[in-house]
Amino acid sequence: MATDRFAEVEQAIDRGWMFRILQELILIRSENPFDDPVREGYREQEMADYLAGHLSGFGLAVEMREVRPGRPNVFGVMKGSRGQSALMLAGHMDTARTTGYPEAYDVRVEEGRMHGRGACDMKAALAAYLGVVKALRETGTRLNGNLIVCGIVDEEYQMLGSKAIGRSGRMADQGIIGEPTHLKICPANKGRVSTKIVTRGRAAHSSVPEKGINAIEKMSKVIRAFGDYNQELLSRTPHSLCGHGRFTPGVIHGGVQVNMVPDTCELEVDRRTLPGESQASVYADFHERIRRAAAGDPDFVYEITEPTWLIAPNDISPNEPVVAALRAAHREIFGNDPGVEAFVAGSDAPYMGLPTVICGPGSIAQAHTTCEFVDLQEVAAAARLYLHAALRLLGQG
Ligand SMILES: [Zn+2]
């Protein structure tokens, strides 16, 4: 049985060490720079250096691949004795920003929870990966397949890191990303298409509105066009884990001053997509609804811009070996089968170029908040799950 040695290797998971690593990872402030140049406070490079230092210290072959200047993905490969299959434990190294969160880097443990920016999203999983590698090394466990630990840049914005990984060809057979799921196993998640719908009119003085074309009034047709869209989405066949697509008009801007007929109005909308839906299918929905609502209005002019956000949905088979391995690990370690469910947010998973499941410590409810924390018992439990899954998937010589 591939997991015979689990009990022995599991004993070697060094919780105190792992928690110290987590604390150090949080203290490397690595907020996503978004469109700004890389500078202090945006230290994905230092995260990569830190991970590389530990991974090479454990004898892994380490490689960094720069995605943007100062923003490398990092890979550590623990070569298996046969090398016929590979499991990647991956996680993003950037975090959300800390506006309004002055204690973001006052890392502290209270009631068994470690607080700080990145605690659950997702430095806890990175610490757990290192804990797994350390336990394997210190027990002299030799896996048959390759275990790859991977740190990724730019998850919080454009997912440039995972897109680069996917483009470089298939690096492993299976992948786990430890985004915060309370250790639930999530082989699918919705994607997202956000865009701006712009109506155009003609400016005029408000004393003679009939000389203008009011773009705000035109936008009211757009808003009505989507009045029953969520209802329609609910009537479509749901995805088994993700349920239904959803639609929200989120931001509206129009007009310059109150005594002018506005010539533009802009509505930014957010559409959560199901596996199988795409930017093209969503835009087709939008155009159809708007054209129907504006039929017969010769002055109606609109456009839909390029997406302001575009995140692919993830959807791997619940029968993938990595999903089965995590479920088996749950059964053997915790005595229950958690089943599978959808992850509630977007992630790097669909871009990795390999079947990747989301399963990690902490809750998405704390991610991106001004009170981010992770339960340390969950970090330790995550390390046990990853270790169990790695032994099962990769076998040992
Ligand atoms: Zn995350």
Side-chain angles (χ1 to χ4, degrees):
M1 178 66 200
T3 51
D4 279 351
R5 287 199 67 194
F6 175 66
E8 181 197 335
V9 187
E10 185 197 21
Q11 292 298 315
I13 293 176
D14 186 342
R15 288 168 170 68
W17 181 85
M18 218 160 48
F19 301 156
R20 272 200 308 285
I21 295 286
L22 174 55
Q23 179 171 19
E24 289 175 16
L25 286 171
I26 296 171
L27 286 170
I28 302 170
R29 179 177 171 161
S30 56
E31 292 159 39
N32 191 298
F34 293 85
D35 292 317
D36 296 341
V38 177
R39 60 175 167 82
E40 181 67 19
Y42 304 133
R43 289 153 48 186
E44 288 164 313
Q45 174 76 57
E46 283 169 64
M47 282 288 294
D49 291 340
Y50 182 92
L51 292 175
H54 281 288
L55 292 167
S56 58
F58 291 125
L60 277 67
V62 172
E63 188 190 349
M64 285 212 208
R65 295 186 198 161
E66 204 159 62
V67 178
R68 288 286 185 278
R71 308 186 68 190
N73 289 330
V74 59
F75 307 88
V77 181
M78 182 185 269
K79 266 259 170 240
S81 49
R82 303 202 190 127
Q84 73 272 50
S85 61
L87 169 67
M88 182 183 275
L89 301 176
H92 63 85
M93 302 181 291
D94 60 325
T95 71
R97 288 198 164 172
T98 53
T99 316
Y101 187 14
E103 312 89 59
Y105 301 103
D106 296 340
V107 186
R108 65 189 195 282
V109 177
E110 270 171 20
E111 294 171 356
R113 294 163 165 178
M114 192 175 289
H115 289 253
R117 174 57 86 230
C120 69
D121 186 15
M122 55 167 283
K123 294 181 174 180
L126 297 173
Y129 299 161
L130 291 179
V132 168
V133 168
K134 181 173 190 277
L136 287 167
R137 273 296 181 243
E138 291 185 348
T139 52
T141 306
R142 192 80 201 268
L143 299 169
N144 290 331
N146 293 342
L147 181 67
I148 305 171
V149 174
C150 168
I152 305 171
V153 296
D154 196 42
E155 192 276 338
E156 299 289 356
Y157 187 32
Q158 294 179 307
M159 307 206 177
L160 297 172
S162 52
K163 286 175 181 168
I165 292 169
R167 276 198 305 274
S168 69
R170 192 166 175 141
M171 292 191 68
D173 300 280
Q174 303 268 283
I176 296 172
I177 292 181
E179 292 274 11
T181 66
H182 271 322
L183 304 179
K184 296 279 197 296
I185 301 165
C186 304
N189 57 259
K190 285 181 190 174
R192 174 180 173 194
V193 178
S194 299
T195 186
K196 289 178 181 169
I197 300 168
V198 185
T199 50
R200 300 212 185 274
R202 187 171 59 234
H205 194 280
S206 62
S207 61
V208 280
E210 62 278 10
K211 292 201 166 164
I213 297 172
N214 192 316
I216 291 178
E217 288 177 2
K218 299 300 178 195
M219 186 59 82
S220 71
K221 294 191 179 192
V222 174
I223 292 167
R224 280 199 300 277
F226 288 101
D228 62 351
Y229 190 31
N230 276 318
Q231 208 54 42
E232 189 220 317
L233 293 174
L234 284 178
S235 72
R236 295 184 189 175
T237 310
H239 180 270
S240 59
L241 299 179
C242 297
H244 296 276
R246 306 309 286 139
F247 173 80
T248 303
V251 180
I252 190 163
H253 291 292
V256 180
Q257 59 187 53
V258 73
N259 60 351
M260 275 174 71
V261 173
D263 63 354
T264 22
C265 185
E266 208 176 77
L267 177 71
E268 191 168 7
V269 298
D270 181 279
R271 171 72 153 78
R272 298 298 157 132
T273 56
L274 296 183
E277 292 185 313
S278 63
Q279 178 191 337
S281 67
V282 165
Y283 276 39
D285 275 6
F286 289 3
H287 282 301
E288 200 215 302
R289 283 183 164 268
I290 295 169
R291 280 178 193 147
R292 221 187 310 138
D297 179 350
D299 292 331
F300 187 87
V301 176
Y302 80 105
E303 63 176 290
I304 302 178
T305 68
E306 285 298 302
T308 48
W309 286 89
L310 186 60
I311 299 171
N314 190 41
D315 191 25
I316 69 168
S317 164
N319 300 321
E320 285 289 348
V322 70
V323 177
L326 284 170
R327 287 177 77 168
H330 257 277
R331 278 195 302 273
E332 287 180 34
I333 298 170
F334 307 120
N336 65 58
D337 182 346
V340 290
E341 55 189 71
F343 182 51
V344 296
S347 80
D348 284 316
Y351 301 110
M352 299 292 286
L354 56 138
T356 301
V357 65
I358 308 291
C359 174
S363 166
I364 199 78
Q366 274 87 48
H368 296 209
T369 69
T370 53
C371 176
E372 184 173 349
F373 64 80
V374 68
D375 187 317
L376 291 175
Q377 288 310 318
E378 252 182 56
V379 181
R384 295 165 78 196
L385 285 178
Y386 301 147
L387 174 65
H388 200 284
L391 288 168
R392 174 176 285 265
L393 288 167
L394 301 175
Q396 95 249 344

